[in-house]
Amino acid sequence: MSHADPDRRFMRRALRLARRGLGRSSPNPAVGAVVVRQGQVVGQGYHARAGTPHAEVHALAAAGELARGATLYVTLEPCHHQGRTPPCTRAILEAGIARVVYGATDPNPRVEGGGGAWLAAQGLEVTAGVLEEDCAWEHRFFFTHVTLGRPHVILKTAATLDGRTATRSGHSRWVTGEAARRYVHRLRSWCDAICVGIGTALADDPRLTCRLPGGRNPLRVVVDTNLRLPPTARVLDPDSPPGCLVACGPRPPARRRRALEAAGAEVLPLPRAGGGVDLAALAAELGRRGVTSLLLEGGAELAWGFLSRGLVDEVAYFFAPKLVGGGQAPGMIGGRGVARMDQAIALERPRLRRLGDDILLQARVRR
């Protein structure tokens, strides 16, 4: 009898479990695992927080002796290296698992091809690539971070169907409805950091926190070349950890720097590029700090800055069924743009989702 249909069914269950760890397991991937014996789930788990046992260990512990001779489904290839926790491959072998099914191969240069191959060498039946694309999508933050050394960058924009993010007077509350705004807060909870430009920070005075019950606040990042952010800005709220990072040029004004630091901000001087902060240097620094995902929330110039430097991995566009019009109404992306249509930044693998009356389009930037 073919394993194909039950394999996909149990891997979907593992994926649902994995999503419970999104935003909390970083810098580790949010992995889900399910132990199945004679067609019945006897144990399951997910990676809840870095430094704690991985999904496989939780699932095996829940299964206990029923793990012997069972099949383990896991969304990512089991690790075979010693990190903050022991390798999962050893736990799998000691538990007596007979078959391992995993979705995506671990691209970490330290472990690539290791876990699955080692288990197969120990006599276990190993099946790789079940719902591979879905599993890779769920682990995309981790994949980008371990392969490129920077966060996975999501460009988020809310616009009307004619591409306007506000009216000609700058009024923008609200472009989208409640369901879409609630999903944005979910994105904030999933991402390690959130970023806006100084124009958005001054115009909107946003908090950039997650307002969902039980949600997690991201690190707030403001790109502010000349340190124009006032120390009274709501984004600096010291009662909303993990805090605010203000990325500026290499020689920030000393008085403004002291004022922002006194208000609780970390001021990060960076090289200049293209007339502003070197965004590639910012992304690299965030990657060194273990930030695996960065949500860009505004504005149009910052969006083009990241896009034009090849730093955007994914777009999340929320479209509202409204028309604003007006040549002076701001658009989704600023900057110079491209001169020819064949120079356009291409997107691939689009996913559509309806949120109330609004539409969410998610797509990857084609490399």
Side-chain angles (χ1 to χ4, degrees), residues 282-305:
L282 172 59
E285 175 59 26
L286 291 173
R288 281 191 290 271
R289 296 180 180 214
V291 173
T292 66
S293 49
L294 177 66
L295 182 64
L296 299 181
E297 282 224 10
E301 296 300 319
L302 185 72
W304 177 249

Side-chain angles (χ1 to χ4, degrees), residues 1-7 9-10 38-39 99 125:
M1 180 175 132
S2 170
H3 289 296
D5 288 339
D7 281 357
R9 176 161 55 91
F10 290 123
Q38 297 178 348
R99 179 172 181 251
E125 181 184 350

Side-chain angles (χ1 to χ4, degrees), residues 62-76:
E65 284 301 312
L66 293 176
R68 296 206 169 273
T71 297
L72 172 69
Y73 293 87
V74 59
T75 57
L76 182 65

Side-chain angles (χ1 to χ4, degrees), residues 54 56-57 60 78-94 111 115 118:
H54 290 183
E56 298 95 316
V57 175
L60 293 170
C79 65
H80 186 52
H81 67 285
Q82 176 71 48
R84 295 168 67 178
T85 58
C88 290
T89 49
R90 294 284 182 184
I92 292 168
L93 186 66
E94 292 168 3
V111 302
W118 186 86

Side-chain angles (χ1 to χ4, degrees), residues 45-277:
Y46 65 96
H47 188 38
R49 192 172 68 254
T52 64
H54 290 183
E56 298 95 316
V57 175
H58 284 299
L60 293 170
E65 284 301 312
L66 293 176
R68 296 206 169 273
T71 297
L72 172 69
Y73 293 87
V74 59
T75 57
L76 182 65
E77 180 182 14
C79 65
H80 186 52
H81 67 285
Q82 176 71 48
R84 295 168 67 178
T85 58
C88 290
T89 49
R90 294 284 182 184
I92 292 168
L93 186 66
E94 292 168 3
I97 288 290
R99 179 172 181 251
V100 174
V101 180
Y102 65 85
T105 300
D106 192 336
N108 191 331
R110 291 194 305 160
V111 302
E112 187 171 3
W118 186 86
L119 289 168
Q122 309 311 305
L124 279 71
E125 181 184 350
V126 177
T127 302
V130 175
L131 295 184
E132 183 174 15
E133 186 173 328
D134 291 335
C135 291
W137 173 261
E138 290 300 329
H139 299 313
R140 62 197 186 280
F141 299 170
F142 173 72
F143 285 10
T144 300
H145 186 245
V146 298
T147 57
L148 299 180
R150 62 163 177 82
H152 184 92
V153 178
I154 302 175
L155 172 58
K156 170 261 167 184
T157 306
T160 57
L161 283 184
D162 54 346
R164 305 302 183 180
T165 59
T167 66
R168 68 176 185 272
S169 68
H171 189 264
S172 61
R173 293 196 177 183
W174 294 100
V175 174
T176 54
E178 183 179 342
R181 297 198 300 272
R182 190 164 54 246
Y183 191 86
V184 168
H185 283 278
R186 193 177 304 168
L187 278 175
R188 291 182 180 183
S189 182
W190 288 340
C191 289
D192 292 338
I194 183 172
C195 182
V196 297
I198 184 59
T200 297
L202 293 176
D204 298 343
D205 193 20
R207 289 190 177 92
L208 300 183
T209 53
C210 173
R211 264 106 62 194
L212 293 180
R216 182 194 69 148
N217 287 332
L219 170 70
R220 281 99 64 200
V221 180
V222 179
V223 178
D224 181 10
T225 307
N226 299 308
L227 287 192
R228 293 190 288 146
L229 187 71
T232 55
R234 296 194 298 176
V235 73
L236 300 176
D237 183 4
D239 295 326
S240 299
C244 181
L245 177 71
V246 182
C248 62
R251 290 177 293 278
R255 179 180 57 82
R256 296 180 187 174
R257 179 173 186 168
R258 286 194 299 270
L260 287 174
E261 289 175 340
E266 178 186 353
V267 176
L268 176 65
L270 291 169
R272 283 179 174 262
V277 169

